[in-house]
Amino acid sequence: MFIRRYILLLLCTFPLLAGVKHLSLPQAIEILKKDNLELKISRFNEQMKAYEAEATEALNYGKLDLSVTGMRSNDAGNVFGFKLQSREATFGDFGFAQFDPTNPNILSLQPDDLNYPETRNHFQTKISYMLPLYTGGKLTEYKHITQSLHRMSQYDTEKLLNAKIYQVKKAYYDISLVDNYIYNLSKIMKNISKLEAIIGTMETEGYAKDTDLLEVQARKAEAQSMYNQAKLNKELAYQFLSFLLNQKVDNIKKVSTMAKMPRVDLQALLDNNIDIQKARLGLEISKMAVEAEEGNFRPEIGAFGEYGSADNALFNDFFDKDSYTVGVQAKWNLFNGGADQAKLEKAKVNRLMVEDQVRLAKKGIELQVKKLRTEVLSADADIRSYTKQLAFAKKVYENYSARYKEGMVSISDVLIKQSKQLEVMLKLLTAKNKRNTKIFELDSILNKGDRV
């Protein structure tokens, strides 16, 4: 019975352990957008910034408080105040019960009812509302600043998304390149095996030396090591891709080993690049900060209102003993040692600095795009060269292999030519990888991460 339950449990959990198969690059990008953990964290940060903006805007609507206070005291001042707030004060509370006009020392009399009152309970219910009418423009600027910081967090998420798409695309092209490399290595290993068999036959017939076979076997071991390393690199790329998508990926739909070069429009670059947009928004925020600091030199005006009732019992005769207070307050700081002026000058200097940062961002991005384009074009030239070199090295190897059978060259000569073929193949792989990396960086700068 236990074994049957165990097998059933394995069958139920097996689909959960299986990874995604034949995943295309567009599908991977969509999964990334929904499930990547870093993007989820960034979106949570966006939400927090949005709530901060709402909290700042809420200050414009004032503050309404309800308070219920319960107290008990026999302090003379407190008890008399409690009675006044409850509208129950009498002349007797002043000690008039002990008033005797015939007493010549009446003025020095200390009335017991006033100085030693009985203990009294006091319950006060109060609603108060405070509203800022004018704050010198500071609240308005603070609202705009927090709204802009929310937008800045959205730019941060967009930039992170571009970076993650870059990593996903690179993983796809890396896997495809490694697959191509593994395929070519397999063909080379087959050629080595054929060469090994030929040497075995020639050695039997006395046409090959003992060291020939050892040299080929050493080369075969070297190629096998390179093959195993490529397989491990491929597995590592799949693990990284699974991490990015937050789910296991077993295999992908392969892409071309050469990514497409994007079209570069410098004006579109200046309009769409996220770093430039962030720099522009930072400039707007710095201007708002100057306006907020200038508000310290203007008066502040606020209004308040209060309504409540008090008695020795909670909510007793509430409307018979209620009261209200309304008022307006104006406050203007005239001098604080020059601190406000220093803060204003600091904000102005920061604005000037951010203006230069915007100009620097534009020039830096333009330079980076031109540099990446040049590096891609350079890699294109290398790839064309290495492709031709690889075809030539392959032909040379085949020629030397045939000549070895005829005893015209040594096995060392054959293996040297094969080494050249492996060397050029690695250079071609490296050039393609470099080219793809630069193109994905270019996509990210151009804010075209979704381009497949």
Side-chain angles (χ1 to χ4, degrees), residues 123-359:
F123 296 92
Q124 185 179 39
T125 303
K126 183 168 60 176
I127 296 177
S128 58
Y129 181 56
M130 301 185 68
L131 177 68
L133 299 178
Y134 178 69
T135 60
K138 287 187 289 185
L139 272 184
T140 300
E141 296 306 325
Y142 291 152
K143 180 185 74 172
H144 292 159
I145 288 172
T146 52
Q147 288 173 341
S148 297
L149 290 175
H150 173 231
R151 181 59 186 142
M152 187 73 79
S153 70
Q154 292 176 321
Y155 282 141
D156 288 336
T157 300
E158 288 181 45
K159 186 172 182 180
L160 178 62
L161 174 60
N162 276 344
K164 294 304 163 187
I165 290 176
Y166 158 82
Q167 292 174 350
V168 168
K169 290 165 74 172
K170 189 174 187 306
Y172 261 75
Y173 280 81
D174 284 351
I175 291 170
S176 299
L177 276 171
V178 170
D179 271 337
N180 183 263
Y181 177 61
I182 289 172
Y183 171 75
N184 286 313
L185 267 179
S186 299
K187 291 172 66 176
I188 288 174
M189 289 172 65
K190 287 179 181 178
N191 290 334
I192 295 175
S193 296
K194 289 178 183 178
L195 190 59
E196 185 179 21
I198 292 169
I199 291 173
T201 302
M202 292 177 66
E203 189 177 29
T204 303
E205 296 175 358
Y207 294 108
K209 295 181 291 184
D210 294 341
T211 55
D212 288 356
L213 184 60
L214 293 175
E215 282 190 65
V216 171
Q217 288 174 344
R219 175 52 49 83
K220 186 176 181 180
E222 181 185 353
Q224 184 65 51
S225 175
M226 295 170 69
Y227 180 86
N228 293 338
Q229 186 61 51
K231 295 279 282 186
L232 288 173
N233 288 340
K234 179 181 174 181
E235 180 61 29
L236 183 61
Y238 268 112
Q239 290 175 4
F240 183 59
L241 181 61
S242 298
F243 167 75
L244 290 172
L245 303 186
N246 198 26
Q247 57 183 275
K248 190 173 185 298
V249 179
D250 283 341
N251 52 63
I252 63 169
K253 290 183 180 178
K254 294 176 187 175
V255 295
S256 166
T257 58
M258 298 274 284
K260 294 180 181 178
M261 178 76 162
R263 190 177 72 87
V264 178
D265 182 335
L266 288 179
Q267 186 55 50
L269 168 67
L270 297 178
D271 293 336
N272 298 326
N273 178 262
I274 293 175
D275 285 327
I276 293 177
Q277 292 184 72
K278 286 180 64 176
R280 286 174 179 155
L281 184 58
L283 179 58
E284 293 301 316
I285 292 174
S286 69
K287 292 177 180 178
M288 296 171 195
V290 171
E291 290 293 327
E293 293 299 337
E294 287 178 346
N296 291 324
F297 295 90
R298 306 183 186 113
E300 296 182 10
I301 303 173
F304 68 92
E306 186 177 275
Y307 174 75
S309 181
D311 201 0
N312 61 346
L314 187 63
F315 302 129
N316 185 46
D317 297 330
F318 188 91
F319 294 106
D320 291 334
K321 298 180 179 181
D322 63 346
S323 61
Y324 72 88
T325 305
V326 293
V328 176
Q329 182 186 51
K331 183 174 67 173
W332 197 348
N333 177 257
L334 300 178
F335 179 72
N336 67 345
D340 287 339
Q341 185 63 40
K343 291 177 182 178
L344 175 60
E345 293 304 320
K346 178 184 175 182
K348 289 180 178 179
V349 171
N350 183 65
R351 183 191 64 194
L352 294 174
M353 179 184 71
V354 176
E355 285 178 353
D356 284 339
Q357 286 176 338
V358 172
R359 285 192 284 269

Side-chain angles (χ1 to χ4, degrees), residues 10-27:
L10 282 178
L11 291 174
C12 291
T13 57
F14 179 77
L16 300 177
L17 301 175
V20 183
K21 299 181 185 299
H22 309 299
L23 186 66
S24 69
L25 180 53
Q27 289 173 329

